[in-house]
Amino acid sequence: MASRLLLQNLSKRHLLRSTFASRSASTLVLAEHEGGSIKAQSLSAVVAANSLSQDNPVSLLLAGSGSSLHQAAEKAATCHPSISQVLVADSEKFAYPLAEPWAKLIQLVQLKGDYSHVIATSDSFGKNILPRAAALLDVSPVTDVVDINGPRQFIRPIYAGNALCTVRYTGANPCMLTVRSTSFPVPPISVDSKSGGASISEVDLSTLDEDSVGKSRFMKLSSQDTGRPDLGSAKIVVTGGRALKSAENFKMIEKLAEKLGAAVGATRAAVDAGFVPNDLQVGQTGKIVAPELYMAFGVSGAIQHLAGMKDSKIIVAVNKDSDAPIFQVILLSYPDMHICPV
């Protein structure tokens, strides 16, 4: 009798797994927009969604208010051929990307759409929203994904990027991911591959709780209009460290960046010293970058900083200490290179 019950339970488990395996994947991508356009990082999340399976319809979720939201939706509908639907949540509650209303929105959309995956990028937007939404849906998110081996198997860095871990998700739907945008670059999209455009649908917010705003409130947005490229997606990054000694000296880094058309970065030590604002910090606790050219001035190469830039294609380091850890990263990429102290 006990053996029969055991076989029945095993058969049920196998049936559930087979049902999931046979069911085609469907992905909800959480997109961020600004000035009526989709941010480049959000398109990297769409590229990541394509790696889950061949037949994977992708829905893009946009939230906000006003005309800029609808402009972003129109551009999103034609920006990538993999996007099959654009969902628009128009409400003053989403005027700013606060975690509480966004998490409630994701819960609402997931209950209606029954997606197999929900993806966001591993930036301040995704890291702020996705864990809270995962808690509401009672699932465990997989964070900082750098490669996708299948619908439920992913690779993510551990130990400040010194090791890679293969993770298999065994929980219930949806499987929620944050992906590093630098690991999923957006390839050039030819005119021929562009479709006629995805459908645009309004999300019914009538059942959204009135008190879903929560306890946090938006206070203000401080930004610098420098005209330089965004740090997270720039092809050239010029970074300064604590060795520059003052905010006045750090202006030399900014001038060089302007000449090169580059973004400006900084180490945590330079940020803590008050040389630059913390939105320029590169590293494990800052922004993850992988530009074509990364120039580091006065950067020794602490572990948490290396975790944020060691995937750069070419690294140029200027430092008096020839034994600085950042040179070890360069030697791994270019073993025949000789280091000359300056």
Side-chain angles (χ1 to χ4, degrees):
M1 185 67 180
S3 299
R4 184 180 298 175
L5 290 174
L6 178 60
L7 288 173
Q8 288 177 351
N9 288 333
L10 290 174
S11 299
K12 288 180 180 178
R13 291 182 183 179
H14 177 74
L15 180 61
L16 288 173
R17 290 180 182 177
S18 300
T19 301
F20 175 81
S22 61
R23 178 188 170 188
S24 60
S26 59
T27 303
L28 178 68
V29 173
L30 313 182
E32 191 176 9
H33 63 95
E34 185 178 26
S37 298
I38 302 295
K39 288 193 173 182
Q41 295 91 325
S42 297
L43 290 180
S44 295
V46 175
V47 175
N50 289 336
S51 303
L52 293 171
S53 67
Q54 294 180 350
D55 183 17
N56 179 26
V58 177
S59 297
L60 203 70
L61 178 60
L62 292 172
S65 63
S67 59
S68 63
L69 170 64
H70 295 279
Q71 290 174 6
E74 291 175 0
K75 292 181 180 179
T78 57
C79 69
H80 199 283
S82 299
I83 299 174
S84 60
Q85 184 182 30
V86 178
L87 301 176
V88 179
D90 190 350
S91 172
E92 289 297 329
K93 294 179 181 179
F94 309 116
Y96 304 102
L98 297 177
E100 291 92 337
W102 256 95
K104 287 284 189 179
L105 173 63
I106 296 168
Q107 182 187 31
L108 174 66
V109 173
Q110 171 61 25
L111 291 176
K112 292 181 179 179
D114 193 22
Y115 296 95
S116 62
H117 296 78
V118 178
I119 299 181
T121 51
S122 292
D123 53 14
S124 58
F125 173 76
K127 290 178 180 178
N128 186 36
I129 293 169
L130 198 87
R132 193 178 191 94
L136 291 177
L137 295 169
D138 196 23
V139 297
S140 298
V142 182
T143 59
D144 262 356
V145 172
V146 296
D147 198 6
I148 296 175
N149 291 340
R152 291 202 162 197
Q153 186 165 304
F154 316 100
I155 296 177
R156 63 182 303 273
I158 57 175
Y159 301 122
N162 289 313
L164 294 175
C165 176
T166 300
V167 179
R168 182 181 293 278
Y169 180 76
T170 59
N173 284 345
C175 176
M176 305 187 76
L177 313 171
T178 61
V179 298
R180 288 192 178 182
S181 58
T182 54
S183 300
F184 298 94
V186 182
I189 301 173
S190 63
V191 177
D192 295 336
S193 64
K194 289 186 178 181
S195 61
S199 61
I200 301 176
S201 305
E202 290 276 352
V203 178
D204 183 8
L205 302 176
S206 59
T207 57
L208 195 68
D209 296 338
E210 291 297 326
D211 59 347
S212 62
V213 176
K215 296 181 179 180
S216 64
R217 295 290 186 275
F218 177 81
M219 300 300 293
K220 65 176 181 178
L221 174 65
S222 298
S223 61
Q224 294 180 336
D225 187 12
T226 59
R228 291 192 293 262
D230 178 69
L231 178 58
S233 58
K235 294 184 178 180
I236 304 175
V237 174
V238 182
T239 295
R242 181 169 47 189
L244 292 170
K245 297 183 179 180
S246 68
E248 189 66 28
N249 290 338
F250 205 95
K251 290 181 179 179
M252 293 188 292
I253 299 293
E254 297 175 350
K255 291 179 180 179
L256 176 60
E258 290 177 3
K259 292 288 186 180
L260 297 175
V264 173
T267 63
R268 179 171 180 174
V271 169
D272 290 344
F275 299 169
V276 289
N278 59 7
D279 61 328
L280 298 183
Q281 181 181 331
V282 174
Q284 187 179 17
T285 55
K287 292 186 177 180
I288 309 295
V289 299
E292 299 291 330
L293 173 62
Y294 187 87
M295 304 179 71
F297 294 88
V299 177
S300 61
I303 291 177
Q304 75 90 23
H305 183 77
L306 295 179
M309 48 66 66
K310 65 182 181 180
D311 290 332
S312 303
K313 306 301 183 294
I314 298 175
I315 302 173
V316 176
V318 179
N319 199 301
K320 291 182 178 180
D321 182 9
S322 59
D323 295 325
I326 194 171
F327 290 123
Q328 301 304 315
V329 177
I330 298 176
L331 287 175
L332 288 174
S333 303
Y334 307 99
D336 297 329
M337 183 174 289
H338 297 283
I339 298 175
C340 301
V342 294

